[in-house]
């Protein structure tokens, strides 16, 4: 039922009346969304003379979902959509395509939801928004599809307070290499430079390296909070990753997120900013014998404070580092 809640989140800004009117369709379509699918857009569709009859359209990571005239569920796989065209009307955009030798025509209401929905649908099909002709055949579309955006829902364990918007649903997308967009619920997405991302599997081994973002000279978060979040959320077939992001003004925004195998596969496709990789290689100073004990002791103290190390283990390591 998670998909049902996602659909409702898209419709909430439109008011409770709309939510109530589409209650049955929301449940019908939401129940048909597979576990592997992600809800990425919702729009109001119209049919009939003057477009007075409204129904629901849902865009997922794999399909366009809606209902037919008998209010029965119907889904269109992106791979089977051909000859996609669009025709802008006064209050809606008419899309036409061939699906399994059948001609399909759908009208999308031209409100904010509908405009985003149409653009996302065009992106899914690999069709530039300013080139909408019947020449967009399957072969051409598949070539563009290789470069399609990477999109995923994320669960933030630590760092969500650093985002400009508050909410419960978080989405990450990479449209351009080296940057990612993060949106909260229905708010506009914020763009960050992607410095790097790291997978975290062992809490005791990794907490100190996450707390100190020493690669580019800053620290973030609270060791106890991060360790607690990771310890509580890393379960069977689950992992944790840290995204190291930067705003245009240089502000560092690290986010700790929970992820499973499929999330990790998508993360592995992200392209980091090339200039940041060079900066990391040149800015990071080589460790000196005088600085190592101090840095190590700070990390050990943080591990002691959050209970990962015992006092005896801390004292023994301290003596070893100081050579006493």
């Amino acid at each position: 039922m998670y998909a049902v809640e996602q659909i409702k989140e898209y419709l909430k800004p439109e008011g409770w009346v709309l939510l109530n009117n589409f209650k049955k369709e929301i449940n019908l379509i939401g129940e048909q969304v597979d576990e592997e699918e992600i809800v990425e857009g919702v729009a109001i569709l119209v049919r009939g003379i003057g477009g007075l009859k409204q129904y629901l359209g849902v865009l997922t990571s794999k399909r366009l979902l809606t209902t037919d005239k008998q209010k029965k569920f119907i889904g269109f796989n992106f791979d089977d959509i051909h000859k996609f065209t669009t025709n802008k009307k006064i209050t809606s955009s008419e899309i036409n395509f061939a699906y399994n030798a059948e001609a399909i025509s759908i009208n999308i209401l031209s409100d904010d939801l509908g405009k985003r929905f149409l653009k996302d649908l065009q992106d899914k099909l690999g069709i530039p928004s300013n080139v909408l002709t019947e020449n967009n055949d399957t072969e051409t579309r598949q070539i563009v599809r290789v470069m399609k955006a990477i999109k995923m829902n994320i669960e933030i364990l630590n760092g969500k307070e650093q985002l400009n918007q508050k909410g419960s649903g978080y989405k990450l997308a990479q449209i351009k290499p080296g940057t990612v967009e993060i949106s909260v619920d229905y708010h506009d997405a914020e763009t960050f430079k992607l410095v790097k991302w790291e997978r975290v599997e062992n809490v005791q081994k990794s907490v100190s390296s996450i707390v100190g973002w020493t690669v580019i000279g800053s620290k973030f978060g609270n060791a106890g909070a991060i360790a607690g979040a990771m310890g509580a959320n890393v379960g069977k077939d689950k992992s944790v990753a840290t995204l190291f992001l930067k705003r245009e003004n240089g502000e560092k925004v690290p986010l700790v997120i929970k992820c499973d195998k499929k999330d990790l596969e998508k993360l592995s496709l992200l392209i980091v900013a090339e200039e940041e990789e060079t900066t990391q290689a040149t800015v990071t100073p080589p460790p000196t014998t005088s600085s190592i004990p101090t840095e190590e002791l700070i990390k050990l103290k943080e591990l002691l404070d959050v209970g990962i190390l015992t006092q005896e283990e801390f004292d023994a390591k301290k003596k070893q580092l100081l050579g006493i």
Side-chain angles (χ1 to χ4, degrees), residues 5 21 52 55 72 84 89 98 124 127 129 243 268 274:
E5 297 304 318
N21 290 343
L52 296 177
Y55 60 115
K72 294 182 179 179
F84 182 94
K89 298 183 177 181
K124 289 289 183 184
I127 300 172
S129 57
L243 304 174
S268 67
E274 294 181 1

Side-chain angles (χ1 to χ4, degrees), residues 145-299:
R145 191 187 290 269
V146 175
M147 300 179 65
K148 68 180 181 180
I150 299 169
K151 296 182 179 181
M152 59 188 290
N153 289 337
I154 58 175
E155 181 177 346
I156 301 177
L157 303 179
N158 189 283
K160 62 181 68 175
E161 69 282 351
Q162 299 176 94
L163 301 178
N164 289 332
Q165 303 290 349
K166 295 182 179 179
S168 57
Y170 302 90
K171 289 185 177 180
L172 179 146
Q174 183 169 70
I175 310 298
K176 298 179 181 179
T179 65
V180 294
E181 297 179 357
I182 295 180
S183 59
V184 183
D185 291 339
Y186 54 86
H187 298 290
D188 292 336
E190 183 179 2
T191 302
F192 299 88
K193 182 177 291 184
L194 177 61
V195 178
K196 66 173 181 174
W197 73 274
E198 289 184 350
R199 180 177 177 179
V200 179
E201 293 180 286
N202 186 299
V203 178
Q204 181 170 339
K205 181 179 179 181
S206 305
V207 167
S208 60
S209 63
I210 293 178
V211 174
W213 187 353
T214 55
V215 173
I216 48 182
S218 76
K219 291 191 174 249
F220 111 88
N222 174 275
I226 297 175
M230 295 166 76
N233 288 282
V234 179
K236 185 178 180 181
D237 195 32
K238 295 292 181 182
S239 185
V240 172
T242 305
L243 304 174
F244 294 85
L245 313 174
K246 287 180 71 175
R247 288 190 168 97
E248 289 184 1
N249 61 5
E251 180 184 357
K252 303 171 182 66
V253 182
L255 299 178
V256 178
I257 65 172
K258 183 166 71 172
C259 45
D260 56 23
K261 289 181 179 178
K262 291 177 181 177
D263 294 328
L264 288 171
E265 288 177 1
K266 288 192 174 183
L267 288 176
S268 67
L269 298 175
L270 295 178
I271 302 174
V272 301
E274 294 181 1
E275 61 269 25
E276 289 295 344
E277 292 180 329
T278 304
T279 302
Q280 291 175 35
T282 56
V283 170
T284 306
T288 61
T289 55
S290 60
S291 64
I292 289 177
T294 303
E295 294 173 359
E296 291 296 324
L297 285 172
I298 292 174
K299 292 179 182 179

Side-chain angles (χ1 to χ4, degrees), residues 18 29 79 82 96-97 136 181 211 219 278 298 320:
L18 197 64
I29 295 176
D79 290 332
H82 309 284
N96 299 281
F97 56 88
N136 292 300
E181 297 179 357
V211 174
K219 291 191 174 249
T278 304
I298 292 174
Q320 179 183 347

Side-chain angles (χ1 to χ4, degrees), residues 4-55:
V4 172
E5 297 304 318
Q6 286 182 304
I7 296 172
K8 289 180 179 179
E9 285 295 327
Y10 277 97
L11 293 175
K12 275 183 180 179
E14 308 303 316
W16 67 269
V17 174
L18 197 64
L19 278 169
N20 187 63
N21 290 343
F22 288 125
K23 184 176 180 179
K24 290 183 178 179
E25 286 188 73
I26 292 172
N27 290 328
L28 173 63
I29 295 176
E31 289 172 356
Q32 298 295 325
V33 178
D34 298 335
E35 292 184 0
E36 297 181 356
E37 288 181 285
I38 299 173
V39 174
E40 298 185 349
V42 176
I44 307 303
L45 310 182
V46 294
R47 63 163 63 102
I49 299 175
L52 296 177
K53 188 175 181 65
Q54 296 186 340
Y55 60 115

